[in-house]
Amino acid sequence: MASRLEINFIRLLSRCEFVASEKRGEAEWRLEKYVAALEDMLVALRKSPSKPTQEVLTEYTRKVDFLKGLLEAEKLPSPTEKALANQFLAPGRTPTIANERMPASKTVHIQSKARCTGEMRDELLGTRLSGKGTTDGDLRNRRCLPLDERQSAAELDAVLQHHHNLQEKLAEDMLNLARNLKNNTLAAQNIIKQDNQTLSQSMRQADLNFEKLKTESERLEQHSKKSVNWLLWLMLILVSFTFISMILFIRIFPRLR
């Protein structure tokens, strides 16, 4: 069960995402105050004894950082800088409340990028729209723009589409690179595993050969000892026989006078 602090945090986070999805004027101050309160509640939630899991805390931190980055991007002077800053924002991955089909932070991110694109187009055409939105008369006026301005708008759309295609191609190349890296890593892992198995077998065979060599060395040493013993006894018998023979010879054939 979520704690009271976490429930209040989720309510305030949902309120911030709702305010961020609306079109705000320059004098709007609520969202900045709400986000500051969110940061304080997030710090308290991390220190709470009944804090949620680390994955949930990471998702909360991601959403709060997204709202902070959104506010900082809106303070930039030019639409180009705003669009570039929006590209680096990372919205939340999960819905904040249960009845959301799509995470509200992703919706806010899409709306923010669309507003930045519209501001860039308006800046290029020199026709900044008012805060009331685009009316039918504005659309008719834009249709009646000179050919150069319409060509500029078309060129801007082509540039934006080109950058979008480049981003998609870059993402696809990075995905292929990651896939190839994974395959190479798995192949290298299999090769290392096979080498380890071969090395283990070689070490076991070397240990077996060493034991056999040790056994044969002991047998050879015992055999050598046996051979030396037989030779020693043979020499002793021969010397004894010679000694006895000399004594008998002396006894049988006394010394001549």
Side-chain angles (χ1 to χ4, degrees):
M1 294 293 294
S3 63
R4 188 66 181 175
L5 178 61
E6 185 178 1
I7 294 174
N8 293 334
F9 176 83
I10 293 173
R11 289 177 179 174
L12 183 58
L13 178 59
S14 177
R15 180 62 181 170
C16 289
E17 291 173 345
F18 175 75
V19 174
S21 64
E22 295 179 337
K23 190 170 184 179
R24 303 179 305 279
E26 296 181 357
E28 179 64 40
W29 55 270
R30 291 181 302 168
L31 183 59
E32 190 169 356
K33 297 294 183 181
Y34 289 167
V35 172
L38 270 179
E39 291 185 270
D40 296 337
M41 293 178 69
L42 182 59
V43 172
L45 192 61
R46 288 174 179 168
K47 298 179 180 179
S48 175
S50 58
K51 64 180 180 180
T53 61
Q54 187 62 36
E55 294 180 357
V56 176
L57 283 175
T58 302
E59 183 65 18
Y60 288 163
T61 305
R62 185 184 182 93
K63 291 181 179 180
V64 174
D65 291 341
F66 167 74
L67 292 173
K68 288 172 56 180
L70 186 65
L71 289 173
E72 293 175 358
E74 290 179 351
K75 294 178 182 179
L76 295 174
S78 66
T80 305
E81 293 176 349
K82 292 180 181 179
L84 183 60
N86 267 279
Q87 292 292 331
F88 293 99
L89 294 179
R93 300 174 181 175
T94 58
T96 303
I97 54 179
N99 59 355
E100 289 180 358
R101 294 185 178 179
M102 180 180 180
S105 57
K106 287 188 177 181
T107 305
V108 173
H109 193 208
I110 295 172
Q111 292 175 350
S112 178
K113 288 196 294 186
R115 283 196 296 266
C116 292
T117 304
E119 291 178 2
M120 289 176 61
R121 184 182 292 107
D122 293 338
E123 184 182 34
L124 181 62
L125 298 176
T127 56
R128 297 299 301 268
L129 300 178
S130 63
K132 298 180 180 179
T134 304
T135 62
D136 295 337
D138 294 329
L139 293 175
R140 286 194 296 270
N141 292 333
R142 290 183 66 182
R143 293 192 188 99
C144 297
L145 289 174
L147 181 61
D148 294 339
E149 294 185 358
R150 282 184 289 174
Q151 288 179 351
S152 299
E155 291 175 358
L156 177 60
D157 293 336
V159 170
L160 293 176
Q161 184 64 32
H162 177 66
H163 284 292
H164 181 69
N165 294 336
L166 286 178
Q167 289 179 355
E168 289 184 350
K169 187 176 183 300
L170 181 60
E172 185 178 357
D173 292 341
M174 291 178 66
L175 183 61
N176 293 331
L177 182 61
R179 189 180 294 111
N180 293 333
L181 182 61
K182 179 180 178 181
N183 294 333
N184 293 335
T185 303
L186 291 176
Q189 184 178 1
N190 292 331
I191 293 174
I192 293 173
K193 186 177 180 180
Q194 292 176 359
D195 291 343
N196 289 334
Q197 292 177 354
T198 304
L199 181 60
S200 300
Q201 292 177 358
S202 300
M203 292 179 65
R204 286 196 297 269
Q205 187 66 33
D207 293 338
L208 184 61
N209 293 337
F210 178 76
E211 292 295 333
K212 290 183 178 179
L213 181 61
K214 184 178 180 181
T215 304
E216 295 297 329
S217 298
E218 291 176 354
R219 291 178 58 186
L220 181 61
E221 184 178 359
Q222 293 177 359
H223 182 71
S224 300
K225 290 180 178 179
K226 290 180 181 179
S227 299
V228 170
N229 291 335
W230 282 107
L231 182 61
L232 182 60
W233 282 106
L234 182 61
M235 291 182 65
L236 288 174
I237 293 172
L238 183 61
V239 170
S240 300
F241 178 76
T242 304
F243 180 73
I244 293 173
S245 299
M246 289 180 63
I247 293 175
L248 292 176
F249 182 78
I250 294 172
R251 294 285 185 181
I252 295 172
F253 301 100
R255 186 174 58 179
L256 296 178
R257 291 173 181 256

